[in-house]
Amino acid sequence: MMNNGSVISLFFLSGLNETMNYRSTLFFLSLMCYCLIILVNVSLVVIIIMDHSLHEPMYIMLCAFFLNGLYGTAGFYPKFLWDLFSPVHVISYSGCLLQALVMYSFACSEMSILALMAYDRYLAICRPLEYHTLMSKQRVIKLVCIFWLISFFIQAVNIVLTSRLKLCSSNLNRISCVNWSIVALACFPSELIVNNIVAYITIIVYVLHGVFIFWSYIYLIKTCVSSIENRAKFMQTCVPHLVSLFVFLLTILFDLMSMRFGSKDLPQTVQNFVAIEFLIIPPIMNPLMYGFKLTKIRRKIVCVI
């Protein structure tokens, strides 16, 4: 909805227009998926918080990882479930910006926590004598909070820059709000210079996170090859991190490629799945994988059951 031709108060989300015939099935599957995400993530967060033997740097980072998954999915699923049975799919202008902020800051925080995990494993395996000095419980909590605040601040700057744009349409061909789709509605491309600069700086920052993670694990692999003990540590604690990283990067890459270069000839349902797979696969896979792979957590789960 536009007032005076440029001020938008509502966005229309057209991504669900082709789901009329199977909305009940989609609602049931989405609700089950969200309930599973809440169940597995909350369960592991409670186990880590309640058990003092798990108050170690690695498990504190995992706790932050699971909480971040709950934060990101809370920005999408409640609105999506509501839209499945709404005759008109709309979201307020401020609500759209807020949703974009939550989903983007979730993704950036995920990358930061994975980088912190890589640094933790590097210290634990390559510099074990310094580990407890450099990675105390208090320091890890501070680092997690700082990284989350930095991710939130960076995305808040992007969203503030988006909010100053004059938009020529209120139609988003998606099932949720993302910053790039809003920016694409700008009336004047000349206004996008600052947005693009900040966006590319953001991309560079998190690409450097990826480079650091890649370097850390290459160094870890070289270190672990010559030691049976280190190989066991690597398989036990590093492999889940690498799987999490690979799955997360793959899902994010699919979404970014789809937004910027994707074909509009693809069925809407395929486009929708690509757009939200990073809110489905990692939040479910990560707690299940860590819960079964890490011995301490697995034992606690077995005791509870």
PDB file of all heavy atoms in Angstrom, residues 189-214:
ATOM      1  N   PRO A 189      17.813   4.211  -8.706  1.00  0.00           N
ATOM      2  CA  PRO A 189      19.053   3.428  -8.525  1.00  0.00           C
ATOM      3  C   PRO A 189      20.210   4.258  -7.980  1.00  0.00           C
ATOM      4  O   PRO A 189      21.099   3.711  -7.319  1.00  0.00           O
ATOM      5  CB  PRO A 189      19.355   2.936  -9.941  1.00  0.00           C
ATOM      6  CG  PRO A 189      18.029   2.914 -10.628  1.00  0.00           C
ATOM      7  CD  PRO A 189      17.271   4.084 -10.067  1.00  0.00           C
ATOM      8  N   SER A 190      20.199   5.565  -8.249  1.00  0.00           N
ATOM      9  CA  SER A 190      21.293   6.426  -7.768  1.00  0.00           C
ATOM     10  C   SER A 190      21.339   6.488  -6.248  1.00  0.00           C
ATOM     11  O   SER A 190      22.375   6.820  -5.663  1.00  0.00           O
ATOM     12  CB  SER A 190      21.144   7.838  -8.345  1.00  0.00           C
ATOM     13  OG  SER A 190      19.905   8.394  -7.954  1.00  0.00           O
ATOM     14  N   GLU A 191      20.215   6.179  -5.587  1.00  0.00           N
ATOM     15  CA  GLU A 191      20.164   6.198  -4.118  1.00  0.00           C
ATOM     16  C   GLU A 191      20.803   4.963  -3.492  1.00  0.00           C
ATOM     17  O   GLU A 191      20.970   4.905  -2.268  1.00  0.00           O
ATOM     18  CB  GLU A 191      18.712   6.298  -3.634  1.00  0.00           C
ATOM     19  CG  GLU A 191      18.021   7.622  -3.935  1.00  0.00           C
ATOM     20  CD  GLU A 191      16.631   7.673  -3.338  1.00  0.00           C
ATOM     21  OE1 GLU A 191      16.094   6.591  -2.995  1.00  0.00           O
ATOM     22  OE2 GLU A 191      16.081   8.773  -3.206  1.00  0.00           O
ATOM     23  N   LEU A 192      21.136   3.977  -4.326  1.00  0.00           N
ATOM     24  CA  LEU A 192      21.596   2.695  -3.806  1.00  0.00           C
ATOM     25  C   LEU A 192      23.102   2.614  -3.600  1.00  0.00           C
ATOM     26  O   LEU A 192      23.604   1.581  -3.171  1.00  0.00           O
ATOM     27  CB  LEU A 192      21.161   1.563  -4.746  1.00  0.00           C
ATOM     28  CG  LEU A 192      19.659   1.416  -4.982  1.00  0.00           C
ATOM     29  CD1 LEU A 192      19.397   0.257  -5.931  1.00  0.00           C
ATOM     30  CD2 LEU A 192      18.919   1.206  -3.675  1.00  0.00           C
ATOM     31  N   ILE A 193      23.823   3.695  -3.913  1.00  0.00           N
ATOM     32  CA  ILE A 193      25.291   3.645  -3.839  1.00  0.00           C
ATOM     33  C   ILE A 193      25.764   3.283  -2.435  1.00  0.00           C
ATOM     34  O   ILE A 193      26.567   2.363  -2.242  1.00  0.00           O
ATOM     35  CB  ILE A 193      25.905   4.994  -4.291  1.00  0.00           C
ATOM     36  CG1 ILE A 193      25.597   5.236  -5.769  1.00  0.00           C
ATOM     37  CG2 ILE A 193      27.415   4.989  -4.059  1.00  0.00           C
ATOM     38  CD1 ILE A 193      26.017   6.608  -6.267  1.00  0.00           C
ATOM     39  N   VAL A 194      25.258   3.995  -1.428  1.00  0.00           N
ATOM     40  CA  VAL A 194      25.677   3.741  -0.042  1.00  0.00           C
ATOM     41  C   VAL A 194      25.234   2.346   0.387  1.00  0.00           C
ATOM     42  O   VAL A 194      25.988   1.605   1.035  1.00  0.00           O
ATOM     43  CB  VAL A 194      25.123   4.813   0.912  1.00  0.00           C
ATOM     44  CG1 VAL A 194      25.515   4.497   2.352  1.00  0.00           C
ATOM     45  CG2 VAL A 194      25.632   6.196   0.522  1.00  0.00           C
ATOM     46  N   ASN A 195      23.996   1.966   0.016  1.00  0.00           N
ATOM     47  CA  ASN A 195      23.500   0.626   0.352  1.00  0.00           C
ATOM     48  C   ASN A 195      24.415  -0.455  -0.198  1.00  0.00           C
ATOM     49  O   ASN A 195      24.753  -1.422   0.496  1.00  0.00           O
ATOM     50  CB  ASN A 195      22.096   0.425  -0.217  1.00  0.00           C
ATOM     51  CG  ASN A 195      21.056   1.267   0.473  1.00  0.00           C
ATOM     52  OD1 ASN A 195      21.050   2.481   0.335  1.00  0.00           O
ATOM     53  ND2 ASN A 195      20.170   0.633   1.233  1.00  0.00           N
ATOM     54  N   ASN A 196      24.814  -0.287  -1.462  1.00  0.00           N
ATOM     55  CA  ASN A 196      25.669  -1.295  -2.093  1.00  0.00           C
ATOM     56  C   ASN A 196      27.045  -1.353  -1.445  1.00  0.00           C
ATOM     57  O   ASN A 196      27.605  -2.434  -1.257  1.00  0.00           O
ATOM     58  CB  ASN A 196      25.810  -0.996  -3.589  1.00  0.00           C
ATOM     59  CG  ASN A 196      24.545  -1.311  -4.362  1.00  0.00           C
ATOM     60  OD1 ASN A 196      23.784  -2.191  -3.962  1.00  0.00           O
ATOM     61  ND2 ASN A 196      24.306  -0.599  -5.448  1.00  0.00           N
ATOM     62  N   ILE A 197      27.596  -0.185  -1.091  1.00  0.00           N
ATOM     63  CA  ILE A 197      28.913  -0.150  -0.450  1.00  0.00           C
ATOM     64  C   ILE A 197      28.877  -0.891   0.879  1.00  0.00           C
ATOM     65  O   ILE A 197      29.727  -1.751   1.161  1.00  0.00           O
ATOM     66  CB  ILE A 197      29.385   1.306  -0.242  1.00  0.00           C
ATOM     67  CG1 ILE A 197      29.715   1.957  -1.594  1.00  0.00           C
ATOM     68  CG2 ILE A 197      30.607   1.341   0.675  1.00  0.00           C
ATOM     69  CD1 ILE A 197      29.998   3.446  -1.497  1.00  0.00           C
ATOM     70  N   VAL A 198      27.868  -0.579   1.701  1.00  0.00           N
ATOM     71  CA  VAL A 198      27.748  -1.231   3.009  1.00  0.00           C
ATOM     72  C   VAL A 198      27.466  -2.719   2.844  1.00  0.00           C
ATOM     73  O   VAL A 198      27.998  -3.556   3.592  1.00  0.00           O
ATOM     74  CB  VAL A 198      26.641  -0.555   3.851  1.00  0.00           C
ATOM     75  CG1 VAL A 198      26.413  -1.314   5.154  1.00  0.00           C
ATOM     76  CG2 VAL A 198      27.008   0.894   4.156  1.00  0.00           C
ATOM     77  N   ALA A 199      26.635  -3.069   1.844  1.00  0.00           N
ATOM     78  CA  ALA A 199      26.333  -4.483   1.594  1.00  0.00           C
ATOM     79  C   ALA A 199      27.597  -5.258   1.223  1.00  0.00           C
ATOM     80  O   ALA A 199      27.829  -6.369   1.719  1.00  0.00           O
ATOM     81  CB  ALA A 199      25.290  -4.609   0.489  1.00  0.00           C
ATOM     82  N   TYR A 200      28.433  -4.659   0.367  1.00  0.00           N
ATOM     83  CA  TYR A 200      29.656  -5.346  -0.042  1.00  0.00           C
ATOM     84  C   TYR A 200      30.660  -5.429   1.109  1.00  0.00           C
ATOM     85  O   TYR A 200      31.391  -6.420   1.235  1.00  0.00           O
ATOM     86  CB  TYR A 200      30.280  -4.662  -1.251  1.00  0.00           C
ATOM     87  CG  TYR A 200      29.561  -4.968  -2.538  1.00  0.00           C
ATOM     88  CD1 TYR A 200      29.007  -3.965  -3.319  1.00  0.00           C
ATOM     89  CD2 TYR A 200      29.418  -6.287  -2.976  1.00  0.00           C
ATOM     90  CE1 TYR A 200      28.326  -4.259  -4.505  1.00  0.00           C
ATOM     91  CE2 TYR A 200      28.757  -6.589  -4.150  1.00  0.00           C
ATOM     92  CZ  TYR A 200      28.212  -5.577  -4.913  1.00  0.00           C
ATOM     93  OH  TYR A 200      27.541  -5.877  -6.069  1.00  0.00           O
ATOM     94  N   ILE A 201      30.699  -4.398   1.956  1.00  0.00           N
ATOM     95  CA  ILE A 201      31.563  -4.461   3.141  1.00  0.00           C
ATOM     96  C   ILE A 201      31.108  -5.607   4.048  1.00  0.00           C
ATOM     97  O   ILE A 201      31.931  -6.373   4.577  1.00  0.00           O
ATOM     98  CB  ILE A 201      31.543  -3.123   3.908  1.00  0.00           C
ATOM     99  CG1 ILE A 201      32.262  -2.039   3.098  1.00  0.00           C
ATOM    100  CG2 ILE A 201      32.186  -3.274   5.287  1.00  0.00           C
ATOM    101  CD1 ILE A 201      32.139  -0.643   3.690  1.00  0.00           C
ATOM    102  N   THR A 202      29.792  -5.721   4.221  1.00  0.00           N
ATOM    103  CA  THR A 202      29.229  -6.808   5.034  1.00  0.00           C
ATOM    104  C   THR A 202      29.614  -8.166   4.466  1.00  0.00           C
ATOM    105  O   THR A 202      30.039  -9.073   5.199  1.00  0.00           O
ATOM    106  CB  THR A 202      27.693  -6.692   5.091  1.00  0.00           C
ATOM    107  OG1 THR A 202      27.328  -5.414   5.616  1.00  0.00           O
ATOM    108  CG2 THR A 202      27.103  -7.796   5.966  1.00  0.00           C
ATOM    109  N   ILE A 203      29.478  -8.305   3.153  1.00  0.00           N
ATOM    110  CA  ILE A 203      29.835  -9.572   2.497  1.00  0.00           C
ATOM    111  C   ILE A 203      31.304  -9.889   2.712  1.00  0.00           C
ATOM    112  O   ILE A 203      31.679 -11.025   3.043  1.00  0.00           O
ATOM    113  CB  ILE A 203      29.503  -9.513   0.990  1.00  0.00           C
ATOM    114  CG1 ILE A 203      27.988  -9.502   0.791  1.00  0.00           C
ATOM    115  CG2 ILE A 203      30.123 -10.695   0.253  1.00  0.00           C
ATOM    116  CD1 ILE A 203      27.557  -9.201  -0.623  1.00  0.00           C
ATOM    117  N   ILE A 204      32.172  -8.873   2.559  1.00  0.00           N
ATOM    118  CA  ILE A 204      33.614  -9.076   2.737  1.00  0.00           C
ATOM    119  C   ILE A 204      33.926  -9.522   4.160  1.00  0.00           C
ATOM    120  O   ILE A 204      34.725 -10.442   4.385  1.00  0.00           O
ATOM    121  CB  ILE A 204      34.390  -7.786   2.385  1.00  0.00           C
ATOM    122  CG1 ILE A 204      34.335  -7.533   0.872  1.00  0.00           C
ATOM    123  CG2 ILE A 204      35.848  -7.879   2.842  1.00  0.00           C
ATOM    124  CD1 ILE A 204      34.838  -6.170   0.458  1.00  0.00           C
ATOM    125  N   VAL A 205      33.278  -8.878   5.154  1.00  0.00           N
ATOM    126  CA  VAL A 205      33.504  -9.227   6.562  1.00  0.00           C
ATOM    127  C   VAL A 205      33.213 -10.708   6.799  1.00  0.00           C
ATOM    128  O   VAL A 205      34.005 -11.427   7.434  1.00  0.00           O
ATOM    129  CB  VAL A 205      32.633  -8.348   7.484  1.00  0.00           C
ATOM    130  CG1 VAL A 205      32.619  -8.912   8.910  1.00  0.00           C
ATOM    131  CG2 VAL A 205      33.143  -6.910   7.499  1.00  0.00           C
ATOM    132  N   TYR A 206      32.094 -11.183   6.259  1.00  0.00           N
ATOM    133  CA  TYR A 206      31.705 -12.568   6.544  1.00  0.00           C
ATOM    134  C   TYR A 206      32.389 -13.570   5.611  1.00  0.00           C
ATOM    135  O   TYR A 206      32.531 -14.744   5.973  1.00  0.00           O
ATOM    136  CB  TYR A 206      30.176 -12.692   6.560  1.00  0.00           C
ATOM    137  CG  TYR A 206      29.647 -12.011   7.803  1.00  0.00           C
ATOM    138  CD1 TYR A 206      29.153 -10.712   7.759  1.00  0.00           C
ATOM    139  CD2 TYR A 206      29.737 -12.634   9.039  1.00  0.00           C
ATOM    140  CE1 TYR A 206      28.732 -10.061   8.916  1.00  0.00           C
ATOM    141  CE2 TYR A 206      29.319 -12.007  10.197  1.00  0.00           C
ATOM    142  CZ  TYR A 206      28.823 -10.721  10.134  1.00  0.00           C
ATOM    143  OH  TYR A 206      28.431 -10.082  11.290  1.00  0.00           O
ATOM    144  N   VAL A 207      32.854 -13.110   4.459  1.00  0.00           N
ATOM    145  CA  VAL A 207      33.718 -13.955   3.635  1.00  0.00           C
ATOM    146  C   VAL A 207      35.050 -14.180   4.360  1.00  0.00           C
ATOM    147  O   VAL A 207      35.603 -15.291   4.353  1.00  0.00           O
ATOM    148  CB  VAL A 207      33.952 -13.327   2.245  1.00  0.00           C
ATOM    149  CG1 VAL A 207      35.123 -14.007   1.528  1.00  0.00           C
ATOM    150  CG2 VAL A 207      32.699 -13.448   1.379  1.00  0.00           C
ATOM    151  N   LEU A 208      35.553 -13.129   5.024  1.00  0.00           N
ATOM    152  CA  LEU A 208      36.778 -13.269   5.812  1.00  0.00           C
ATOM    153  C   LEU A 208      36.575 -14.240   6.976  1.00  0.00           C
ATOM    154  O   LEU A 208      37.505 -14.974   7.345  1.00  0.00           O
ATOM    155  CB  LEU A 208      37.226 -11.894   6.342  1.00  0.00           C
ATOM    156  CG  LEU A 208      37.758 -10.928   5.285  1.00  0.00           C
ATOM    157  CD1 LEU A 208      38.067  -9.571   5.907  1.00  0.00           C
ATOM    158  CD2 LEU A 208      39.015 -11.490   4.612  1.00  0.00           C
ATOM    159  N   HIS A 209      35.367 -14.254   7.558  1.00  0.00           N
ATOM    160  CA  HIS A 209      35.040 -15.280   8.562  1.00  0.00           C
ATOM    161  C   HIS A 209      35.247 -16.668   7.955  1.00  0.00           C
ATOM    162  O   HIS A 209      35.855 -17.548   8.570  1.00  0.00           O
ATOM    163  CB  HIS A 209      33.576 -15.150   9.013  1.00  0.00           C
ATOM    164  CG  HIS A 209      33.336 -14.100  10.054  1.00  0.00           C
ATOM    165  ND1 HIS A 209      33.692 -12.791   9.871  1.00  0.00           N
ATOM    166  CD2 HIS A 209      32.754 -14.169  11.284  1.00  0.00           C
ATOM    167  CE1 HIS A 209      33.342 -12.097  10.944  1.00  0.00           C
ATOM    168  NE2 HIS A 209      32.781 -12.918  11.815  1.00  0.00           N
ATOM    169  N   GLY A 210      34.722 -16.837   6.741  1.00  0.00           N
ATOM    170  CA  GLY A 210      34.840 -18.126   6.060  1.00  0.00           C
ATOM    171  C   GLY A 210      36.288 -18.494   5.768  1.00  0.00           C
ATOM    172  O   GLY A 210      36.676 -19.652   5.924  1.00  0.00           O
ATOM    173  N   VAL A 211      37.075 -17.507   5.353  1.00  0.00           N
ATOM    174  CA  VAL A 211      38.500 -17.744   5.080  1.00  0.00           C
ATOM    175  C   VAL A 211      39.207 -18.182   6.358  1.00  0.00           C
ATOM    176  O   VAL A 211      40.025 -19.114   6.354  1.00  0.00           O
ATOM    177  CB  VAL A 211      39.161 -16.476   4.500  1.00  0.00           C
ATOM    178  CG1 VAL A 211      40.679 -16.634   4.440  1.00  0.00           C
ATOM    179  CG2 VAL A 211      38.609 -16.174   3.108  1.00  0.00           C
ATOM    180  N   PHE A 212      38.900 -17.504   7.474  1.00  0.00           N
ATOM    181  CA  PHE A 212      39.503 -17.863   8.759  1.00  0.00           C
ATOM    182  C   PHE A 212      39.136 -19.291   9.154  1.00  0.00           C
ATOM    183  O   PHE A 212      39.993 -20.065   9.605  1.00  0.00           O
ATOM    184  CB  PHE A 212      39.057 -16.891   9.846  1.00  0.00           C
ATOM    185  CG  PHE A 212      39.467 -17.314  11.231  1.00  0.00           C
ATOM    186  CD1 PHE A 212      40.776 -17.162  11.653  1.00  0.00           C
ATOM    187  CD2 PHE A 212      38.544 -17.890  12.102  1.00  0.00           C
ATOM    188  CE1 PHE A 212      41.171 -17.579  12.923  1.00  0.00           C
ATOM    189  CE2 PHE A 212      38.926 -18.309  13.368  1.00  0.00           C
ATOM    190  CZ  PHE A 212      40.239 -18.148  13.777  1.00  0.00           C
ATOM    191  N   ILE A 213      37.864 -19.646   8.982  1.00  0.00           N
ATOM    192  CA  ILE A 213      37.423 -21.004   9.318  1.00  0.00           C
ATOM    193  C   ILE A 213      38.152 -22.028   8.448  1.00  0.00           C
ATOM    194  O   ILE A 213      38.634 -23.055   8.939  1.00  0.00           O
ATOM    195  CB  ILE A 213      35.894 -21.135   9.139  1.00  0.00           C
ATOM    196  CG1 ILE A 213      35.160 -20.233  10.154  1.00  0.00           C
ATOM    197  CG2 ILE A 213      35.447 -22.583   9.318  1.00  0.00           C
ATOM    198  CD1 ILE A 213      33.673 -20.107   9.898  1.00  0.00           C
ATOM    199  N   PHE A 214      38.224 -21.737   7.156  1.00  0.00           N
ATOM    200  CA  PHE A 214      38.901 -22.640   6.216  1.00  0.00           C
ATOM    201  C   PHE A 214      40.366 -22.818   6.605  1.00  0.00           C
ATOM    202  O   PHE A 214      40.878 -23.948   6.672  1.00  0.00           O
ATOM    203  CB  PHE A 214      38.795 -22.069   4.799  1.00  0.00           C
ATOM    204  CG  PHE A 214      39.459 -22.910   3.752  1.00  0.00           C
ATOM    205  CD1 PHE A 214      38.880 -24.084   3.305  1.00  0.00           C
ATOM    206  CD2 PHE A 214      40.686 -22.526   3.211  1.00  0.00           C
ATOM    207  CE1 PHE A 214      39.498 -24.863   2.333  1.00  0.00           C
ATOM    208  CE2 PHE A 214      41.316 -23.290   2.242  1.00  0.00           C
ATOM    209  CZ  PHE A 214      40.720 -24.465   1.810  1.00  0.00           C
TER     210      PHE A 214
END
